[in-house]
Amino acid sequence: MKTDILAITPPFTQLNTPYPATAYIKGFLNTKNISSTQADLGIEVILRLFSKKGLQDLFIQTEDNLLPKSDNSKRIFALKNEYLKTIDAVIAFLQGKNPTLALQICSDDFLPQASRFSTLEELDWAFGAMGTQDKAKHLATLYLEDISDYIVECIDENFGFSRYAERLGRSANSFDELYGALIKEPTYIDRILISVLKEKIEAVQPKLFLISVPFPGNLYSAFRCAQWIKANHPEIKISMGGGFPNTELRSLSDARVFEFFDFITLDDGELPIELLYHNITHPFPTEAHFYKRTFLLENGKVVYRNDAFRNDYKQADVGTPDYTGLLLDKYISVIEIVNPMHRMWSDGRWNKLTMAHGCYWGKCTFCDISLDYIKVYEPVAAKLIVDRIEDLYAKTGQNGFHFVDEAAPPALMREVALEIIRRQLAVTWWTNIRFEKSFTQDLCLLLKASGCIAVSGGLEVASDRLLKLIDKGVTVEQVAKVTRNFTEAGIMVHAYLMYGYPTQTIQETVDSLEMVRQLFEVGILQSGFWHQFAMTAHSPVGMYPEKFGVVKDTEAIGSFANNDINYTDKTGIDHNKFSFGLKKSLFNFMHGICFDYELQDWFDFKIPRTKIPADFIEKALNNGDQFNTKPTAKVVWIGGKPATSYFTKSKKGHTWEMASLTFHDKKETFTVQTNKKEGEWLNAILDKVSIDNEKVLTFQEVKIDFEQEMENFELFWYSKPINTLREYGLLVL
């Protein structure tokens, strides 16, 4: 079907769910009645490669080239008939279409096994906690990774499931290396990509071809797509946008880039794309065209045009993401690591949404806080967010949502959770947060009740001195309390961890690891990932390195990508050498083992002993709770209406009337008893603070309501009946 605009994501991003950029743009274009379609070329290439015909072609290719060389690849080649027999069934299973195959996969004699299966013996203990379906997914993932290893060795060294030729996109200050790769003959993977692209272009015949490049691992394929279209369909205009150009190409000056692309747009894409479309479909003199944050070629030179007077669209006006055209039933759910939180990124289909544009904190010194995607903070109204949830649920049939915020605001999360529960929606969701003290025990319980199953957030360096230098706005003790609140509510927690921050000492790296060990040992952190600090041009560290004790290796600005900056840390420490030990220890902690190892055991060089007391986190959790009830806190009852009965109690000649309130929780029935007057008030106030009501009472208003009839509110509020109700859903937010 012909459309005006075709938007694609080039290989490769995720196997389990589409990267959302094209869906966001399509949703916006719908509001402007501009016809568009979209495609995730990554999943389409994977499905062609990992099929019976794809593997047949693959094995023929390697046989013709007198490969393979290694023992592992020779084994895979020798078992090629087993791979050809099983591949289509395994892919269907990972797409959720063939669940009964799990029994076969787990039988241990169905899948051919190469080197990736060597880790299984070490993980036998972990399978006890996994169901048959999950165990089969993990085994099928190892099977695909074996084939991937074969492809890397024998066909294309640049192949990866979630990236392709990533090296060419990383720190590419000069376009020379990427340009050199592009003038070579297309690779085996390129040829598959071009065959998919050719079909799309011939079917759609767009006027404007949009390529979203979120990561360095998409860059090479983006240029290959553009190159083929320029050669075969020069009438089609081509534009690049997305996370990579937004951060890396802001000082672009190499004219050779525009042999492939007509335009490169920066930051929010809605208005720039609308103007491009208008310019293309209204071919009046080019001097009458206006652009928003757009690079193009004029008179042989790269120019940056930002001469449109119109403001960017508000988040309320950009429409609901539209996944139409993407092969939602063809994505592949894999389990790479046997950890329930870590698998969230690779298992299951998630509709991507945003609660707020930008970051409400916007101070972290390692972050690109000078760029619009961070600094322009604009929350979306809770009702509109939940409208979008309902819309996407209806259109995709999927009730899983991943809010891809830089950091979702706690107050907005609270309002979204209340709205989800009020509308009685059965959804599952997770998001990225800051470990704010606002995440009290009660707020975490509310989020869980609304369907939140997991959060991820930056603990970074787990050192209070460095957290202050980063301007993170949290302490390790605060992070521990917040992760405890989430965990006790049944919400999993993933922590982003960092090492090698400017001025970080070896002692601080060791102490940071000890903090992380303790957080996992007490069970309040379920997953994590260590990142080595990278200095970027748009972060405070990159803009003012002298304040952080580092020196840029050069002030020169490249003609292509400029974001990652090489620098020298005045401490002279080689942080690279910690990488393996930090990641290996974390892998074991995530599987609930090796907490009794000495930290020295993870490194093959001498490290100092930790200065962190062995019970630091445990003591932090036992410290007096800082989350005091504010008069302005909202009181909400998320339980049902009680059945109330009255009876008379007698003791030593005295009688008085009592109230018995019986509640039916999802799991059990429970009763609270009070005197009659308190019971009547409790019955009435629970109705007033019920989540079904739009108006929410504050703690102060509840107190005033009580004191109109009785005295000693605090005495009653902290009594056994209220404490029981607090456990079952009487929340102070």
Side-chain angles (χ1 to χ4, degrees), residues 380-623:
V380 181
K383 286 187 188 308
L384 181 55
I385 292 169
V386 183
D387 286 345
R388 289 173 177 173
I389 286 175
E390 289 198 275
D391 190 15
L392 276 174
Y393 189 180
K395 286 178 178 173
T396 67
Q398 303 283 347
N399 71 342
F401 293 86
H402 181 195
F403 290 96
V404 291
D405 294 59
E406 298 301 324
L412 183 53
M413 289 174 69
R414 178 192 67 207
E415 295 307 311
V416 168
L418 290 170
E419 190 65 22
I420 288 171
I421 297 170
R422 283 190 189 115
R423 297 194 197 184
Q424 298 184 330
L425 300 179
V427 296
T428 302
W429 62 276
W430 58 299
T431 190
N432 194 46
I433 62 160
R434 294 183 68 253
F435 291 116
E436 295 271 11
K437 62 183 179 183
S438 310
F439 288 110
T440 61
Q441 193 171 28
D442 281 13
L443 177 53
C444 293
L445 288 168
L446 175 74
L447 298 175
K448 175 65 176 175
S450 73
C452 179
I453 58 166
V455 293
S456 55
L459 170 55
E460 319 308 353
V461 287
S463 153
D464 285 344
R465 180 189 79 84
L466 290 169
L467 285 170
K468 192 171 181 182
L469 187 62
I470 287 173
D471 203 358
K472 192 71 186 174
V474 299
T475 63
V476 177
E477 182 174 322
Q478 180 181 311
V479 170
K481 289 180 176 179
V482 170
T483 56
R484 183 264 318 272
N485 292 341
F486 277 114
T487 301
E488 289 183 351
I491 296 172
M492 296 182 290
V493 184
H494 173 90
Y496 297 108
L497 306 165
M498 184 187 292
Y499 63 103
Y501 190 80
T503 73
Q504 184 169 358
T505 64
I506 291 174
Q507 184 67 57
E508 285 172 324
T509 301
V510 172
D511 290 348
S512 185
L513 174 59
E514 172 61 15
M515 291 285 203
V516 171
R517 186 196 69 78
Q518 290 186 29
L519 288 166
F520 274 98
E521 187 175 31
V522 298
I524 56 176
L525 203 56
Q526 287 73 49
S527 173
F529 190 85
W530 286 104
H531 303 258
Q532 187 166 356
F533 169 78
M535 190 162 91
T536 60
H538 312 291
S539 68
V541 180
M543 292 188 289
Y544 314 107
E546 65 284 351
K547 291 183 179 180
F548 299 89
V550 294
V551 178
K552 291 182 184 179
D553 288 355
T554 177
E555 292 290 340
I557 296 176
S559 59
F560 187 54
N562 285 287
N563 191 35
D564 287 5
I565 298 173
N566 293 325
Y567 67 94
T568 302
D569 190 331
K570 290 178 182 176
T571 62
I573 296 168
D574 176 16
H575 295 286
N576 287 319
K577 66 181 182 180
F578 288 93
S579 179
F580 181 77
L582 290 173
K583 290 175 181 177
K584 185 177 180 181
S585 60
L586 183 62
F587 180 85
N588 284 277
F589 298 160
M590 284 199 298
H591 290 90
I593 56 174
C594 300
F595 297 122
D596 55 343
Y597 279 37
E598 294 291 330
L599 299 187
Q600 178 65 68
D601 295 341
W602 301 114
F603 301 95
D604 58 4
F605 55 91
K606 186 71 176 168
I607 61 167
R609 296 182 68 84
T610 181
K611 293 183 177 179
I612 304 299
D615 59 353
F616 179 90
I617 296 297
E618 196 174 341
K619 278 187 174 176
L621 296 176
N622 291 330
N623 283 351

Side-chain angles (χ1 to χ4, degrees), residues 668-681:
E668 57 187 310
T669 299
F670 66 96
T671 300
V672 298
Q673 293 184 352
T674 65
N675 66 49
K676 184 179 180 182
K677 197 167 186 180
E678 289 172 345
E680 288 173 339
W681 177 84

